[in-house]
């Protein structure tokens, strides 16, 4: 990141001078890194500010009166709100039941996907519980029906092996600052070769300079410039590239196994604790809980006073909280990373137990 | 001027594709520089180009086609 700021302050893809060329090199290396990580072509990687930006690009590309978009009943607002906004323009929507079981998900999709349905948009993994959706099955379902599959990988990019061509994903959206260990202000929308070849049909949500075909009135019909209006956040993108290098050096499976091990450790030590209610089932890398008679935000504050950072509330996912029946105050979420260890988990459990004593 | 000395241009609508093409050619020992092109090369405004020795142009184009990299024109 520092190198991007200090040594290449030019605007990538714009000029021919040495600083612009250096910036272009950094940008393209980051595209290659992201592409390799998700099994895509480098030109099909669109850099965004975050996952929400990427999801808006993907979802609103499809806006057309009479079309229908289907999402899961546990979606984050980054999926729901762009869809709700499109509904004001005549796009309809429906929900399928989020589940880890492929058969149940496909049955549910078959019930809600009619001839007007052009896309399924859903999180690959919940941001509040252990649930991971069977994306390869959803991808196959969409591919067989000629539908677009928009996958929100916010909670699993970096801890799940995702290959957009293999998994049938049309557009994968991910933030840089979570499991890919980039800085805030970075994100990606990664298009499959099929979706990219039809990019001219996709509407743009932001228009402006693209560094190419500047005499045209509209955004170029080439990837990735069609969706990258204006100057990209090069320092953040350079940081994201290094973050993915870090992830690749360890491996997504190993990272996920470590996170699950820590989550299991905490869950097992809290599950028989009086006054604590745990949510969600099965293995996973998140622990979601509530303490009897203490609102979640208050309890997160109490943890913070003891040096433990936990997010409470609805986590921008009111549908998911409603499904898990956490209540109006939501719940407290503990999440883990490769930088956490068992000792920290033990301390967290001890602190929680002390606070509710 | 000998063909090795003369510079040719392969033009692209996408600066990213120009960048991709450059790396691909460099991996195959064909040196090329990405440059921004002015409106002279397109009525639709600026484009990106790869500047390379004319001696390498045919082979470069073959490599790009084989790798499904779309270019607009070759300017000799």
């Amino acid at each position: 990141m520092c190198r991007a700021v200090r040594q290449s302050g030019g605007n990538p893809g714009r000029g021919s001078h040495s600083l612009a060329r250096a910036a272009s090199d950094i940008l393209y290396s980051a595209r290659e890194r992201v592409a390799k990580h998700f099994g895509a072509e480098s030109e099909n990687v669109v850099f965004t500010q975050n996952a929400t930006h990427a999801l808006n690009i993907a979802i609103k590309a499809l806006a057309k009166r009479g079309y229908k978009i289907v999402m899961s009943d546990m979606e984050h607002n980054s999926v729901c709100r762009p869809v709700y906004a499109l509904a004001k323009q005549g796009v309809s929507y429906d929900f399928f039941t989020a589940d880890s079981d492929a058969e149940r998900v496909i049955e549910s999709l078959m019930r809600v996907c009619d001839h007007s349905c052009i896309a399924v948009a859903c999180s690959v993994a919940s941001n509040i519980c252990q649930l991971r959706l069977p994306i390869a099955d959803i991808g196959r379902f969409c591919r067989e029906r000629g539908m677009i599959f928009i996958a929100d990988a916010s909670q699993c990019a970096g801890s799940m092996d995702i290959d957009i061509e293999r998994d049938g994903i049309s557009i994968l959206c991910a933030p840089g600052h979570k499991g890919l260990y980039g800085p805030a202000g970075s994100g990606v929308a990664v298009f499959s070769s099929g979706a990219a070849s039809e990019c001219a049909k996709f509407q743009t949500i932001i228009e402006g300079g693209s560094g190419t075909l500047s005499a045209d009135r509209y955004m170029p019909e080439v990837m990735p410039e069609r969706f990258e209006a204006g100057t990209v956040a090069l320092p953040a993108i350079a940081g994201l590239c290094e973050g993915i290098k870090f992830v690749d050096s360890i491996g997504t499976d190993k990272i996920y196994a470590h996170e699950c091990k820590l989550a299991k450790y905490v869950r097992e030590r809290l599950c028989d604790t009086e006054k604590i209610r745990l949510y969600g089932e099965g293995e996973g890398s998140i622990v979601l809980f509530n303490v009897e008679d203490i609102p979640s935000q208050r309890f997160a504050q109490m943890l913070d006073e003891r040096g433990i950072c936990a997010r409470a509330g609805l986590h921008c996912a009111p549908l998911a909280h409603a499904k898990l029946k956490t209540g109006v105050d939501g719940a407290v979420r503990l999440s883990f990373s490769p930088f956490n260890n068992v000792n920290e988990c033990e301390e967290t459990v001890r602190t929680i137990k002390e606070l509710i004593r | 001027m000998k063909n090795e000395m003369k510079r040719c241009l392969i033009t692209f609508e996408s600066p990213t594709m120009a960048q991709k093409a450059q790396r691909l050619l460099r991996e195959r020992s064909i040196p090329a520089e990405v440059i921004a092109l002015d409106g002279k090369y397109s009525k639709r405004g600026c484009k990106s180009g790869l500047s390379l020795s004319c001696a390498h142009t045919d082979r470069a184009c073959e490599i790009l086609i084989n790798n499904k990299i779309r270019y607009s024109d070759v300017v000799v």
Side-chain angles (χ1 to χ4, degrees):
Chain A
M1 287 178 71
C2 290
R3 205 167 59 243
V5 174
R6 288 185 180 141
Q7 296 171 16
S8 45
N11 198 342
R14 297 328 195 242
S16 292
H17 56 78
S18 56
L19 291 180
R21 287 204 311 271
S24 294
D25 270 340
I26 292 171
L27 181 64
Y28 189 75
S29 294
R31 275 194 219 286
E32 278 193 322
R33 176 60 64 172
V34 174
K36 192 175 170 202
H37 187 80
F38 292 114
E41 293 292 331
S42 53
E43 67 273 21
N44 297 337
V45 173
V46 173
F47 286 111
T48 62
Q49 295 167 19
N50 46 48
T52 296
H53 180 199
L55 283 160
N56 271 266
I57 287 174
I59 292 168
K60 291 178 178 170
L62 308 164
K64 199 169 180 184
R65 186 172 288 279
Y67 279 177
K68 181 179 180 180
I69 297 175
V70 164
M71 50 188 163
S72 91
D73 59 355
M74 288 188 78
E75 283 316 307
H76 189 277
N77 280 341
S78 57
V79 170
C80 296
R81 285 181 171 167
V83 175
Y84 296 152
L86 288 183
K88 288 185 176 178
Q89 299 166 34
V91 172
S92 65
Y93 63 86
D94 209 337
F95 299 98
F96 70 92
T97 308
D99 200 298
S100 56
D101 181 79
E103 216 168 289
R104 284 200 289 267
V105 166
I106 299 303
E107 271 176 25
S108 179
L109 279 169
M110 286 176 82
R111 275 197 295 275
V112 293
C113 291
D114 56 25
H115 66 281
S116 66
C117 186
I118 50 152
V120 171
C122 66
S123 304
V124 177
S126 167
N127 68 322
I128 64 160
C129 68
Q130 303 94 308
L131 180 68
R132 283 185 164 193
L133 271 69
I135 51 162
D137 297 278
I138 298 172
R140 200 175 310 116
F141 176 87
C142 291
R143 192 179 276 170
E144 285 167 4
R145 285 156 183 78
M147 286 159 42
I148 298 282
F149 177 25
I150 299 166
D152 173 9
S154 295
Q155 307 308 321
C156 61
S159 63
M160 183 177 185
D161 174 28
I162 300 174
D163 181 304
I164 61 165
E165 301 292 346
R166 179 197 67 202
D167 297 332
I169 297 167
S170 310
I171 309 171
L172 178 123
C173 303
H177 70 277
K178 292 186 178 176
L180 296 177
Y181 297 99
S186 60
V188 290
V190 185
F191 286 61
S192 68
S193 297
S197 69
E198 297 192 338
C199 77
K201 293 182 191 168
F202 293 155
Q203 295 181 43
T204 52
I205 57 165
I206 302 172
E207 295 80 24
S210 60
T212 188
L213 306 177
S214 300
D216 283 0
R217 295 181 70 171
Y218 304 105
M219 290 302 285
E221 295 178 350
V222 291
M223 294 289 292
E225 287 80 12
R226 181 166 182 76
F227 301 105
E228 281 184 355
T231 301
V232 295
L234 193 67
I237 291 167
L240 171 59
C241 182
E242 294 305 310
I244 298 177
K245 275 185 202 169
F246 164 75
V247 168
D248 289 343
S249 71
I250 299 176
T252 52
D253 290 348
K254 207 169 167 187
I255 288 173
Y256 187 57
H258 177 76
E259 292 174 357
C260 287
K261 186 183 86 177
L262 298 181
K264 188 180 177 192
Y265 183 93
V266 172
R267 212 178 290 120
E268 283 178 354
R269 275 152 189 79
L270 292 180
C271 69
D272 56 354
T273 307
E274 212 181 331
K275 295 186 183 175
I276 283 192
R277 180 175 175 191
L278 287 164
Y279 300 95
E281 293 168 356
E283 299 290 301
S285 59
I286 284 175
V287 175
L288 188 75
F289 69 97
N290 262 323
V291 178
E292 204 177 288
D293 299 330
I294 305 179
S296 67
Q297 298 283 13
R298 173 68 193 123
F299 196 73
Q301 196 183 337
M302 288 158 73
L303 285 173
D304 184 50
E305 285 161 6
R306 304 284 291 267
I308 296 165
C309 296
R311 185 175 165 190
L314 293 176
H315 306 93
C316 303
L319 292 177
H321 274 278
K323 189 163 174 171
L324 293 178
K325 298 185 172 64
T326 60
V328 287
D329 288 325
V332 183
R333 180 186 68 186
L334 297 173
S335 47
F336 307 87
S337 86
F339 302 106
N340 294 123
N341 57 44
V342 173
N343 291 340
E344 289 169 331
C345 292
E346 180 54 40
E347 195 187 324
T348 301
V349 169
R350 197 171 53 243
T351 304
I352 290 171
K353 290 185 175 181
E354 278 173 19
L355 288 170
I356 62 176
R357 204 175 288 151
Chain B
M1 193 186 288
K2 285 183 179 176
N3 210 28
E4 294 86 60
M5 301 289 283
K6 277 171 65 182
R7 304 297 289 177
C8 286
L9 277 175
I10 301 176
T11 68
F12 298 85
E13 288 190 355
S14 159
T16 305
M17 285 309 262
Q19 201 82 25
K20 184 175 186 174
Q22 182 197 36
R23 295 206 178 187
L24 194 69
L25 296 180
R26 277 187 179 171
E27 282 168 13
R28 286 155 180 78
S29 304
I30 299 177
E33 295 303 321
V34 177
I35 56 171
L37 303 175
D38 57 33
K40 187 172 87 179
Y41 296 93
S42 167
K43 284 180 182 167
R44 297 169 68 192
C46 43
K47 270 185 166 184
S48 291
L50 268 187
S51 168
L52 73 170
S53 161
C54 290
H56 295 311
T57 311
D58 287 347
R59 187 159 164 255
C61 289
E62 190 186 328
I63 291 167
L64 298 184
I65 290 166
N66 288 342
N67 284 277
K68 295 176 183 167
I69 294 182
R70 281 200 317 191
Y71 57 87
S72 305
D73 294 305
V74 178
V75 183
V76 179

